Amino acid sequence: MSAKTPKNLAVFVSGTGSNFEAMLKEHIPIKLVVADRPCKAIDRAKEVGIPTALIERKNFGTSFDRGLYTQKILEVLQTHGIDLVAMAGFMTILGDSLFTTYDGYILNTHPSLLPLFKGDHAVKDALEARAKETGCTIHIATADLDDGPILAQRSVPILPNDSIETLHERIKIEERKLYPEVLKNILVGNLVLPQTVV
Ligand code: GAR
């Protein structure tokens, strides 16, 4: 894929979808919502009339055929003419073929100040490390988990009585502002992927 301004955004979700909701609120044009399981976010997409694809990971074998799952995702993206993907709480790790085909055009949000606290327990890990602050990172996703060029970050303090839930919510308040802002900049051509950094 050559450097160009993408137009057709797909959002990948697995859960509550408060980041997706924030994108709706900011009028980010979303062409497709992809989910790996039934969830509130995909129900909400249907409610507002955005095309959806539910590709359930549980249907891809007991040992999960990641290659086949990724191939199915790619087929759906190409059927809908998608040229930009925003993962927003998507909890399935996808195979290399997606990152090769959409090299530089897959974004992710992660609830830590990467490169600190990669992985599925980022909020808990920051608490347990007794860090003074953590935050969120919007980055270009690569085949390596929670890696890839960082586009934007916001920090939040960790308070003495924080639980995983209170801290995660403080992080998500920032994510919900930052992710739509980054997407808006990309879709209007103010932020050129993959080279430019906010
Ligand atoms: C967000 O905090 C996002 O950073 C995190 O899941 C949450 C989704 O919230 N993603 C990951 O942990 C990915 N490893 P939402 O469903 O309310 O948008």
Side-chain angles (χ1 to χ4, degrees):
M1 226 180 251
S2 59
K4 61 174 179 55
T5 302
K7 294 275 171 261
N8 296 323
L9 169 68
V11 179
F12 283 23
V13 294
S14 298
T16 318
S18 70
N19 278 285
F20 166 61
E21 192 65 42
M23 293 172 198
L24 291 178
K25 205 168 147 206
E26 289 302 318
H27 307 289
I28 303 296
I30 299 169
K31 294 290 187 307
L32 176 69
V33 170
V34 176
D36 61 354
R37 65 199 76 185
C39 58
K40 196 173 154 194
I42 200 165
D43 291 346
R44 180 71 179 130
K46 285 183 192 148
E47 215 175 87
V48 296
I50 295 174
T52 59
L54 174 59
I55 308 173
E56 290 198 64
R57 60 170 291 154
K58 75 169 173 55
N59 296 338
F60 287 77
T62 39
S63 56
F64 184 53
D65 189 336
R66 197 175 311 281
L68 195 61
Y69 186 82
T70 304
Q71 193 183 316
K72 181 72 194 162
I73 294 256
L74 270 170
E75 279 167 23
V76 169
L77 294 182
Q78 289 178 356
T79 301
H80 287 263
I82 297 303
D83 54 11
L84 180 66
V85 169
M87 299 206 242
F90 189 69
M91 299 312 275
T92 293
I93 295 172
L94 296 167
D96 289 3
S97 59
L98 182 83
F99 298 98
T100 309
T101 310
Y102 282 89
D103 187 17
Y105 291 84
I106 302 178
L107 309 181
N108 184 39
T109 180
H110 183 75
S112 79
L113 296 173
L114 289 173
L116 296 174
F117 309 121
K118 294 180 180 184
D120 279 352
H121 307 287
V123 181
K124 182 169 177 268
D125 292 347
L127 264 181
E128 286 180 358
R130 298 178 187 279
K132 286 200 165 49
E133 61 167 18
T134 183
C136 61
T137 302
I138 315 297
H139 67 102
I140 296 172
T142 62
D144 295 323
L145 187 66
D146 301 327
D147 211 49
I150 291 170
L151 298 175
Q153 291 183 309
R154 290 284 182 274
S155 58
V156 301
I158 299 180
L159 303 179
N161 293 324
D162 264 335
S163 62
I164 295 175
E165 291 71 27
T166 58
L167 179 55
H168 199 173
E169 186 51 30
R170 190 172 312 116
I171 294 169
K172 283 170 78 168
I173 288 171
E174 295 308 315
E175 272 186 310
R176 295 192 284 254
K177 289 185 253 176
L178 193 57
Y179 212 177
E181 196 181 303
V182 170
L183 285 170
K184 215 176 266 182
N185 279 329
I186 292 169
L187 291 166
V188 300
N190 285 344
L191 170 58
V192 178
L193 296 172
Q195 299 89 349
T196 314
V197 172
V198 192

